[in-house]
Amino acid sequence: HMEDLKFHIVRHVPVINPNRIWYGDEIEIDLLSDAVKARFNELAALLPNPQIAKIYSSPYARAHITAAGFLEAARPTIKPEIIIEPGFQEQQYGLMTNQPHELIKDMPHVVAYMSDMWATAPEKGESLGMFYKRISGAFEKAIKETGNGTRDIIIFCHGGVQMASASMVTGIRMDELMKERRTRKELDFSYMSVLTVTYKRESREWSKSLTTNPGIHL
């Protein structure tokens, strides 16, 4: 019997974004507030032992800094490797990146993207459909690279990646799932929340059930 593989998908620490920009990798983050420090300790208690789990991170600073903060709080005897996986980075917003939404919302490519996020990409960026395809590919790759001895994978990443993961296991298209965010508790992807999904190795399919441990509400 092959053991199931559990993925614990962790959103990064809070970002500081007063101007409501569509941000890429560069954004100020909160590492010092009491809520964040307390949450690192909660994650250390909540997540599997990093010495027996495999750890992936998005290449974005806010994700791998969150991974490092977790390891510091968990204090493993041997520091495990954090595998940087570009496939798990946040959706690419192209020319919208670092622009305040208010300033660009009437630009034709932004209007087109906002009216059909699934099929239309912002200029030089990714549509939700493209993003979803990349994320499910990154999961396939992680499953392939993980031996049967490993039962837990922790991924430090982004709210969009959590939403794509939820879409992948439920079979509900990402843009449809986003509409259900307000009414479904398990779609509470607050900062430092943990979404847990299960891949059944025997049948090579995802379990449809998902659980979310909510993070910090600002």
Side-chain angles (χ1 to χ4, degrees):
H1 172 73
M2 286 206 281
E3 296 271 8
D4 289 348
L5 186 55
K6 270 202 158 94
F7 284 88
H8 310 267
I9 305 152
V10 187
R11 190 179 177 196
H12 54 76
V13 295
V15 301
I16 299 159
N17 185 16
N19 299 325
R20 306 205 32 210
I21 62 168
W22 292 88
Y23 52 91
D25 189 1
E26 302 299 318
I27 186 94
E28 216 183 316
I29 56 177
D30 170 12
L31 287 167
L32 301 173
S33 66
D34 291 344
V36 168
K37 289 183 194 161
R39 183 61 181 159
F40 272 127
N41 291 329
E42 282 171 22
L43 289 178
L46 183 76
L47 291 169
N49 178 342
Q51 289 189 173
I52 53 173
K54 198 168 173 188
I55 303 174
Y56 285 92
S57 171
S58 149
Y60 281 12
R62 58 186 177 272
H64 59 76
I65 288 170
T66 305
F70 158 69
L71 288 180
E72 210 170 295
R75 295 196 178 86
T77 331
I78 304 155
K79 250 208 169 153
E81 181 198 2
I82 298 170
I83 303 159
I84 302 290
E85 175 48 69
F88 289 124
Q89 68 191 4
E90 186 57 292
Q91 184 183 356
Q92 303 297 296
Y93 296 119
L95 297 186
M96 288 165 62
T97 310
N98 295 333
Q99 301 297 318
H101 185 65
E102 274 309 298
L103 205 66
I104 61 168
K105 65 179 197 299
D106 299 323
M107 291 175 87
H109 79 108
V110 179
V111 172
Y113 169 65
M114 295 306 282
S115 58
D116 183 5
M117 294 163 102
W118 178 256
T120 308
E123 214 169 309
K124 298 196 156 91
E126 289 175 307
S127 66
L128 278 180
M130 290 157 73
F131 174 56
Y132 174 81
K133 200 175 165 190
R134 167 164 66 76
I135 297 302
S136 43
F139 274 100
E140 280 165 30
K141 182 173 179 241
I143 291 163
K144 225 177 257 159
E145 326 179 304
T146 303
N148 287 337
T150 304
R151 279 187 295 202
D152 290 282
I153 290 179
I154 309 170
I155 302 171
F156 290 90
C157 54
H158 310 271
V161 178
Q162 288 177 314
M163 195 55 83
S165 312
S167 166
M168 182 178 69
V169 304
T170 57
I172 301 168
R173 210 171 78 173
M174 235 182 129
D175 50 338
E176 292 301 321
L177 199 63
M178 285 160 89
K179 292 176 194 158
E180 297 178 23
R181 210 185 321 213
R182 280 170 195 80
T183 52
R184 288 178 64 170
K185 222 170 45 257
E186 70 273 33
L187 301 179
D188 174 5
F189 302 142
S190 41
Y191 292 117
M192 300 179 88
S193 60
V194 182
L195 166 67
T196 303
V197 297
T198 306
Y199 179 73
K200 299 190 278 199
R201 279 188 169 123
E202 290 267 294
S203 56
R204 296 187 176 188
E205 59 186 0
W206 292 96
S207 160
K208 291 233 183 292
S209 66
L210 46 103
T211 58
T212 303
N213 181 284
I216 297 174
H217 290 98
L218 297 175

